Amino acid sequence: MQDCVICGGFCPSKESELSQRLGLRLVNDAGDRLHLCYTDKGLTLRCGQNCMTGDFADLKKRLKQPNLQSEMIVKASKIKGSDNLRLLDATAGMGTDSFLLAAAGFTVDMYEYDAVIAELLTDALSRAALDPDLTAIVGRITVHRNDSIKAMLSLDYRPDVILLDPMFPERQKSALVKKKFQLLQQLECPCTDENELLTAAIGAKPRRIVIKRPLKAPYLAEKKPSFSLLGKAIRYDAIVFADN
């Protein structure tokens, strides 16, 4: 995990507040170090020439019918005959899959324990909420800035679906990982205990667990799914429980 700083100069009051809230050092020149900065696009994570800013407006084409219903994450998560489903995203990251699911009608709880990623995600959602095309979708999403494993062990409700997209070491070596997401991998350590993650998810007693994996990756914790949906680069493994 690489240390992150905040580079000031664009919006001093917001940068100072962010520095205090996240406990990150505020600098005038970050050089080639990993840093957060505000730009006219929003809160941005940057390292050298590589940068990323969350922007859910980029998903608008995918949000249109019937494009949305053809998304693999939607197909893997929908439960036949059930509406108003509640989904817990235990590894939210920048939230693309959860946003698609919220657009498909799910109520979504996103969990992200890394403070910097959670801040980028929250900033992106705040800007999306101002877009009339996206406002209703954002209204179905809640971001939780804490450890999903601990949360799943003490939930006061039963989620219909739990989504897992763990970042394991083998994914760091994949050529399929886009450069902007390599920035996130500098912040967040790969999951080292897949059994703990899956056990916590099972313990929350969902009706279904959906696991996003690289296409050729082994099953999570060697748990064979009920079914899998295969794409060109990724697959979704779904574990369906007997009471469905």
Side-chain angles (χ1 to χ4, degrees):
M1 179 176 176
Q2 184 173 331
D3 290 335
C4 186
V5 297
I6 296 172
C7 188
F10 184 84
C11 187
S13 60
K14 291 177 68 175
E15 292 153 358
S16 177
E17 189 275 334
L18 184 63
S19 173
Q20 295 179 25
R21 180 152 45 85
L22 297 186
L24 298 178
R25 190 158 57 94
L26 182 62
V27 300
N28 293 324
D29 183 5
D32 289 331
R33 286 178 293 179
L34 185 69
H35 65 276
L36 285 171
C37 61
Y38 283 101
T39 70
D40 56 358
K41 294 183 179 180
L43 186 62
T44 299
L45 183 65
R46 184 185 298 272
C47 187
Q49 298 299 312
N50 200 6
C51 66
M52 68 163 295
T53 306
D55 187 359
F56 291 108
D58 289 344
L59 297 177
K60 284 187 179 182
K61 184 176 180 180
R62 296 172 67 182
L63 298 177
K64 294 180 179 180
Q65 302 290 353
N67 295 349
L68 183 60
Q69 298 305 321
S70 68
E71 291 282 346
M72 285 202 302
I73 183 60
V74 175
K75 290 181 177 180
S77 302
K78 288 180 69 174
I79 298 176
K80 187 176 181 179
S82 297
D83 297 317
N84 303 315
L85 295 171
R86 187 169 184 179
L87 178 138
L88 187 154
D89 184 347
T91 49
M94 290 305 295
T96 298
D97 280 340
S98 277
F99 201 84
L100 292 170
L101 288 163
F106 285 74
T107 298
V108 178
D109 291 287
M110 291 184 182
Y111 282 83
E112 178 51 58
Y113 74 88
D114 184 273
V116 173
I117 298 176
E119 195 69 36
L120 289 162
L121 174 60
T122 301
D123 180 77
L125 287 169
S126 296
R127 285 182 278 108
L130 302 176
D131 186 329
D133 294 332
L134 305 178
T135 303
I137 300 172
V138 177
R140 290 192 285 273
I141 296 172
T142 303
V143 176
H144 303 268
R145 303 187 183 203
N146 52 19
D147 187 332
S148 64
I149 292 179
K150 293 180 180 178
M152 288 188 289
L153 295 174
S154 58
L155 290 176
D156 59 1
Y157 70 96
R158 182 191 182 193
D160 295 294
V161 183
I162 291 179
L163 174 62
L164 305 178
D165 180 13
M167 182 174 63
F168 290 112
E170 68 265 17
R171 289 193 65 178
Q172 291 186 322
K173 299 175 183 178
S174 173
L176 299 171
V177 177
K178 296 180 180 180
K179 286 186 177 181
K180 65 180 182 179
F181 291 110
Q182 291 175 356
L183 287 173
L184 298 184
Q185 292 178 338
Q186 293 183 52
L187 286 169
E188 203 164 40
C189 297
C191 180
T192 57
D193 194 339
E194 56 191 63
N195 289 291
E196 183 182 23
L197 180 64
L198 185 56
T199 297
I202 293 172
K205 301 185 184 304
R207 299 169 67 187
R208 180 174 299 187
I209 296 174
V210 177
I211 306 165
K212 186 176 182 179
R213 301 292 280 159
L215 186 60
K216 296 182 180 180
Y219 296 137
L220 184 67
E222 300 182 353
K223 174 72 172 179
K224 186 176 180 180
S226 305
F227 68 88
S228 297
L229 297 180
L230 308 181
K232 292 181 180 180
I234 62 171
R235 72 171 193 269
Y236 289 93
D237 296 333
I239 301 173
V240 180
F241 293 94
D243 61 342
N244 291 340

